[in-house]
Structures are given as structure tokens and as C-alpha cells.
Amino acid sequence: MALCISVRSAAAGSPPLVFDQPLIVIGRSASSDVRLPDPSVSQRHATVRQRGRDYIVLDEGSTNGTFVGPVQLARGSPRVLRPGDLIRVGRVWLEVDIDPAAAPSTIQSTKELALRLVSGALSADGAPAVPFVSTEDGDRRLELKEFHHAYVIGRSPRCDLPLQDDDCSRRHVEVERVGSDVMVRDLGSKNGSELDGQRVVDEQRWLPGQVLHVGQSRLLLSDPLHEVLRELESSQDEVVTDDVAPPDEDVDEPGEPDRPQKRGKSAAAEPGAAPGGVAIRPEAELAAPARRRASWGTVDVLVAVFALAVLGVSVAGLLWLMRS
């Protein structure tokens, strides 16, 4: 039985992570199964564990707590997950689903998710958001925007990065993003390729700062994502002081068929809620106690009857004076 976890608040277009293992760690550290590079997420924030045919989620003593819907989990108090449940860790919302037929993700998928999240944040700030290959003089540049896409470098004008170099083959090398790595392959070029003086044989990992020689050209790899990712993973937990609203689920995209309502109930009323859970109630629910207090009790009825009697006597007296 496979558990699917999707990030709802970012990384649009990222496929869900699929797990069939008994323990899934959610956190900010590089060793997490669901790797979320957000300072509001603790290094080891929460875990999802398989218990029989169910999956349960537990908070692991995180700084900002773990929520299932509006309910905060007490540390060590498990909650059974249902398909469609929303989990909040720090500022990040996750959606879970159960699909016995889904194929498990690879470890690279978790790395790619983390990089997509960082890339999205950098793009929003207008900063470089993807690794790129450039010539040493900076005259030509190739951004590696896609994962698992083979970018070709060579003399042919049809290459992704065409080089004006007679010693370079028409299709000289191939560069590909795989998880957090950039891999380089020689395509059987006439003069070969060298990475920091070492001949490229088969496939090699290309690290930022290393020089790739193709013909007479010198190419450099720059990766702004890795430095930001390392800083985020080593930073202190950021305390979230405001409630984080869940992603909007009620507005369908144009042309999208109506979806069944999965999450209309409060999590506090569902079976499996953690003992001692603290509910974060929306404003509409905060007004409910006042509405309930508006209902009349016995004392209220007696007071009202007495007031009406006094009013009746007063009206009768006024009419008697007018007739006199």
C-alpha cells in the first residue's frame, strides 16, 4: 500500500512523492524523506508510520507543531491519516492520499522537490533560480531548467549551447540535471572532454566551479540553488506566530469538473484525532459561542414575562388617566 504526499502551497507541477516504506520522515534536513527547505520546518519535524493497514502521523517535537487540518497534534499522540487529509508543518501544507497501485518515488524525487521549492522562492525575488553552464568569458550561457532533460553542447547550431569552436564535435557533450546533481556525458566526440583535467568517461558528476574542457572551449557550472539550500538546512528554526491558512480548495479551475467534497468536516470531529489536540478555529467558528449564548433559559423567560406584565399595567394606567 503506497502513500502519496503532495506539496500544496508551492512547487506547482511537481508530482507527488510516493512511499511504500514503514517510516517516512518529514523535515528540513537533507536526510528527510520529504525534504522541505523552509526555516519554519524543523530538521526532523514529523514522521508518518505504517500501522497495519493505516498510516499515522506524529509530531517529533517540532518548533511550530504539526497540524492535521485545524488540529495541532500533541507530541507522541498519533493521528490516523485519511485520503485527502491536509497536514501543516511550519508554513508548508501537504496533502496525503493512498494509492495501492502507485509506484514508489526515487530518492532523487525528494531532492528535486526541495530544489523546486528553493527555485520558486528565488524566482519570486528575481534572483537566479536554476543551475547554468557558461563559457569562461561569460559570453554564452545555458540554463538547466528541467530535470532529466539532456542538454547538448557542441558545434552544431542545433545544440542547446552552440560553440564556435573548430576543435569541438557537432554534438560533443550532454548535460543533465538528476536530483541535486548535474551529470555530464561525452557523446563520442573526436577530441574527447576533460573535467578539471580528468578525461570524461561514460557519465560523471559535474560540481559547481569545476572547468569542463570541450575542444578549445572552457565551460563553467554555477548553481545558486545549492548554496541557498545549504544555508536553509543549517539555519535555526523560525517561529511562526500567525496562523497559516490552508490552500483554497473550493474554487475549481476553469473547465475543471466538480470535485467531491473530501474535507468539509473539522478534523476535531473525525475519528483518530490526537488527544489534547489544540484546534485553530476560523473566525466563523469563533462567533459560535455567542450564538449559542443567545438561546433563552428559564430565568430569561420569567424576566421577559415580568417585563411584559409591567408594560401592560403601565399602558392600562395611561389609558385610565386619559379618560379621566
Side-chain angles (χ1 to χ4, degrees):
M1 184 167 58
L3 182 73
C4 306
I5 301 179
S6 306
V7 176
R8 290 294 305 274
S9 47
S14 296
L17 299 176
V18 182
F19 302 95
D20 63 356
Q21 60 207 52
L23 175 65
I24 303 163
V25 178
I26 302 171
R28 197 171 79 241
S29 72
S31 60
S32 300
D33 299 299
V34 182
R35 186 179 177 188
L36 303 172
D38 187 294
S40 66
V41 179
S42 298
Q43 295 286 333
R44 183 183 173 96
H45 197 109
T47 55
V48 177
R49 303 164 188 258
Q50 195 168 10
R51 188 175 65 182
R53 297 186 60 82
D54 292 327
Y55 284 97
I56 60 172
V57 60
L58 297 96
D59 183 79
E60 296 289 341
S62 63
T63 298
N64 291 305
T66 302
F67 297 78
V68 178
V71 175
Q72 182 175 359
L73 306 184
R75 184 177 181 180
S77 297
R79 176 183 172 86
V80 176
L81 292 174
R82 306 299 181 196
D85 272 347
L86 290 178
I87 302 174
R88 176 161 73 85
V89 290
R91 279 185 293 261
V92 182
W93 285 93
L94 305 172
E95 182 178 8
V96 299
D97 199 4
I98 298 174
D99 184 357
S105 304
T106 65
I107 191 172
Q108 299 296 347
S109 300
T110 283
K111 294 180 179 179
E112 290 169 13
L113 171 63
L115 292 171
R116 286 181 191 273
L117 290 169
V118 175
S119 178
L122 291 177
S123 295
D125 291 337
V130 295
F132 60 90
V133 177
S134 62
T135 54
E136 192 174 36
D137 58 9
D139 185 50
R140 293 176 180 271
R141 172 169 161 163
L142 170 64
E143 292 187 343
L144 310 178
K145 296 181 179 180
E146 301 296 329
F147 291 97
H148 307 290
H149 177 82
Y151 295 90
V152 179
I153 302 173
R155 196 176 74 250
S156 170
R158 296 184 178 181
C159 290
D160 297 289
L161 181 60
L163 300 174
Q164 297 176 350
D165 185 342
D166 292 337
D167 291 332
C168 185
S169 297
R170 292 183 63 81
R171 291 168 53 88
H172 201 108
V173 293
E174 199 172 67
V175 179
E176 181 178 358
R177 284 181 73 187
V178 181
S180 57
D181 297 329
V182 174
M183 310 302 295
V184 60
R185 290 181 289 272
D186 189 273
L187 297 176
S189 63
K190 180 179 179 181
N191 295 315
S193 311
E194 290 186 355
L195 187 61
D196 267 5
Q198 299 294 320
R199 192 172 183 86
V200 176
V201 180
D202 297 328
E203 183 178 72
Q204 261 180 263
R205 184 185 180 195
W206 189 0
L207 299 176
Q210 289 184 325
V211 178
L212 177 66
H213 292 258
V214 291
Q216 295 298 317
S217 303
R218 291 164 56 91
L219 304 177
L220 300 175
L221 174 66
S222 301
D223 193 350
L225 296 180
H226 276 77
E227 183 176 351
V228 175
L229 192 59
R230 284 195 297 268
E231 289 178 359
L232 285 171
E233 289 173 346
S234 61
S235 64
Q236 296 294 321
D237 290 1
E238 177 185 330
V239 178
V240 177
T241 56
D242 299 327
D243 292 346
V244 181
D248 185 10
E249 299 170 29
D250 297 326
V251 180
D252 291 339
E253 294 294 330
E256 184 179 1
D258 292 337
R259 292 170 293 180
Q261 189 70 21
K262 292 183 180 179
R263 312 174 196 95
K265 298 179 181 178
S266 168
E270 294 177 1
V278 180
I280 302 178
R281 297 181 296 169
E283 292 180 2
E285 291 184 22
L286 292 176
R291 290 196 298 269
R292 287 193 294 269
R293 286 194 296 270
S295 59
W296 287 21
T298 304
V299 175
D300 296 325
V301 173
L302 292 176
V303 170
V305 170
F306 178 76
L308 289 174
V310 171
L311 181 61
V313 171
S314 300
V315 172
L318 179 61
L319 292 174
W320 181 78
L321 289 174
M322 290 175 64
R323 289 176 180 177
S324 302

